[in-house]
Amino acid sequence: MKRTLMAALSVTAMTAALAACGTGDDGSGSSGGGGSSDSLTVWLMDGSAPEPWVTELNQAFEAEHGVTVDVQIQQWGGIQDRLTTALSEDGTVDVMEIGNTQTVGYANTGGLADLSELRDQPWNSNMLASAEIDDTLYAVPWYGANRVVIYDKQIWAEAGAEVPTTRDEWITALETIRDNTDAEPIYLPGQSYYVLGGFIADEGGSFAVEDGDEWKGSLNTPEGQAGMEFYAELQSFSDSPTDNDEASPQQSTDIVPNGNVASWIGLGWEANGAIEALGGEADFGYFPVPGKTADQLGNVFLGGSNLAVNERAGNPELAREWLALATSQEWAQKFVDANGGGVVPNRTDVTANPEAGSFAEAMVASADVGFLPPLTTGWANVEAVPNPIKELMTASLNGEDYASAAQAADSEITTRINRE
């Protein structure tokens, strides 16, 4: 029977620093042996959890179970190949963090253990959907994060611009900055397609939709065009070329510290990177991406990670015990608190209380509003270079006919997404 994903939550980097911890880990991303009767091997991604939280959790677990927990820190670069190898071998790793967009692919290969006994916990529904396929739970939600608008308070005050609560007010603020300062009102790359996805979701659309047992691209629609038109309106206030994305050049370290940028859309780690690059002298404010009306924030690309147990774990029962403890109400609350409230909680019985005026406050405000890209094994093919959505964006920004460009993009998306 073909597995169909109920919904999706995708991955993005977190802001918290994670140092190497656990027995024998030097932070190099080594792939040592999995657990035995007296040990457990856990892979966590670089930047996913504060060291004090990991250390305290493992001390509690080791004291209760009389075992050693070996946490090995993995880098995001090349992680899919390392996970594929680990899941094909006996006892390499017991518990692993997996980006939400990756979960369905590994579950479909049979690499992840059935965790349905943990289904009846008060999980965040968006996060739960990314870990569940055909009512079978293959991972457990761990954390979420999303983008917000980051702005230079001094430039906005100089211009007399006000923090917006709607799309129209957002455009008015950018016009005010343009007319009253020499600053670039907003830096928005031509190909920030996750941002575009939020605008399309605001219109009720998506990148692709299910078509029977398959998927098909859905950009050549009124919703897709309306989302692109608003993106183009914002991008007209930017000096960015139409053919670059947010990764190249890196907006947080290459653009913002070297230019007179009044605002940009970014993640928490990007805001921190810009502050560091500016020598700690930045005076940033933050607000959620505005929606079409004041009572509805704009959709944002939701990010995060799941925790899963290797189907071929050396100690599957111990792995389940560690995962259940790490995602329990007690330790999930400690995880959120250790991050200063700067993550979207994985459970409804956990609360985030970020500092007023912080990035985290703006991010958490958008936690319940998000667009979810199609989560199928074939979605990775769509995101591969050259990404047809990015090519559509550049073509549209360069004045090409939207319908023609979107039709070509949809055809490519349909071909790629159905190729596993």
Side-chain angles (χ1 to χ4, degrees):
M1 174 179 171
K2 181 176 179 179
R3 290 171 174 167
T4 302
L5 186 73
M6 298 171 61
L9 182 70
S10 190
V11 64
T12 187
M14 293 240 330
T15 61
L18 175 61
C21 50
T23 304
D25 180 35
D26 61 3
S28 62
S30 61
S31 55
S36 61
S37 61
D38 59 357
S39 68
L40 188 72
T41 298
V42 178
W43 281 10
L44 298 181
M45 302 308 301
D46 185 25
S48 286
E51 180 183 0
W53 180 86
V54 177
T55 300
E56 184 183 1
L57 171 69
N58 287 339
Q59 287 174 345
F61 188 84
E62 291 172 349
E64 179 179 355
H65 294 276
V67 299
T68 297
V69 181
D70 179 12
V71 174
Q72 297 178 358
I73 307 307
Q74 304 295 314
Q75 302 301 315
W76 285 108
I79 186 57
Q80 295 197 44
D81 289 340
R82 294 197 299 278
L83 278 172
T84 297
T85 299
L87 293 174
S88 67
E89 299 174 346
D90 290 333
T92 299
V93 58
D94 299 296
V95 181
M96 71 283 292
E97 173 185 352
I98 301 180
N100 302 69
T101 53
Q102 302 168 351
T103 303
V104 63
Y106 293 119
N108 276 332
T109 66
L112 305 183
D114 183 343
L115 300 175
S116 295
E117 72 273 12
L118 298 174
R119 175 64 178 79
D120 293 329
Q121 295 288 318
W123 305 118
N124 176 301
S125 59
N126 282 339
M127 297 182 192
L128 177 65
S130 73
E132 188 177 45
I133 305 170
D134 288 344
D135 296 324
T136 299
L137 194 67
Y138 289 98
V140 169
W142 191 23
Y143 66 76
N146 54 259
R147 290 166 173 79
V148 308
V149 182
I150 305 163
Y151 70 98
D152 187 306
K153 290 182 179 180
Q154 183 176 345
I155 295 175
W156 279 55
E158 177 188 344
E162 297 183 0
V163 173
T165 61
T166 66
R167 280 189 182 184
D168 288 343
E169 291 177 359
W170 194 5
I171 296 300
T172 297
L174 297 179
E175 291 173 339
T176 300
I177 294 167
R178 179 196 62 196
D179 295 342
N180 294 285
T181 73
D182 293 328
E184 181 177 3
I186 186 171
Y187 175 78
L188 182 60
Q191 297 183 345
S192 189
Y193 89 104
Y194 287 145
V195 173
L196 170 66
F199 299 153
I200 293 176
D202 287 345
E203 306 293 337
S206 59
F207 290 141
V209 296
E210 289 185 272
D211 182 25
D213 290 335
E214 296 189 331
W215 291 78
K216 65 178 181 180
S218 60
L219 292 170
N220 189 19
T221 59
E223 295 82 6
Q225 183 165 0
M228 186 64 224
E229 286 175 351
F230 181 66
Y231 188 98
E233 186 174 11
L234 281 182
Q235 214 274 333
S236 70
F237 292 95
S238 178
D239 296 334
S240 171
T242 61
D243 61 351
N244 67 336
D245 60 33
E246 61 186 333
S248 181
Q250 174 53 245
Q251 56 184 7
S252 62
T253 55
D254 297 328
I255 300 297
V256 174
N258 297 311
N260 193 22
V261 177
S263 63
W264 46 298
I265 303 170
L267 296 158
W269 67 267
E270 292 182 296
N272 291 338
I275 292 170
E276 182 178 353
L278 289 165
E281 298 299 320
D283 186 14
F284 290 152
Y286 311 95
F287 59 86
V289 173
K292 301 176 76 171
T293 60
D295 60 352
Q296 178 67 56
L297 293 174
N299 281 267
V300 289
F301 179 84
L302 298 175
S305 281
N306 295 326
L307 291 175
V309 171
N310 187 352
E311 178 66 19
R312 303 174 73 168
N315 196 327
E317 294 307 316
L318 201 62
R320 281 175 159 80
E321 293 284 347
W322 188 94
L323 184 150
L325 183 64
T327 57
S328 66
Q329 192 278 335
E330 176 186 0
W331 287 95
Q333 185 65 65
K334 289 183 176 181
F335 180 79
V336 171
D337 294 343
N339 280 286
V343 295
V344 178
N346 64 336
R347 305 169 58 103
T348 59
D349 56 0
V350 170
T351 58
N353 297 298
E355 181 181 351
S358 65
F359 181 99
E361 182 184 48
M363 182 191 73
V364 171
S366 298
D368 295 329
V369 186
F371 85 92
L372 306 174
L375 190 56
T376 69
T377 304
W379 185 249
N381 300 326
V382 178
E383 293 187 322
V385 178
N387 184 323
I389 304 172
K390 293 182 179 182
E391 292 190 324
L392 163 65
M393 295 175 72
T394 294
S396 183
L397 292 172
N398 287 344
E400 295 184 26
D401 177 66
Y402 178 83
S404 297
Q407 183 177 4
D410 281 346
S411 177
E412 185 66 17
I413 289 171
T414 301
T415 297
R416 293 189 188 191
I417 199 172
N418 295 307
R419 185 178 69 239
E420 299 186 358

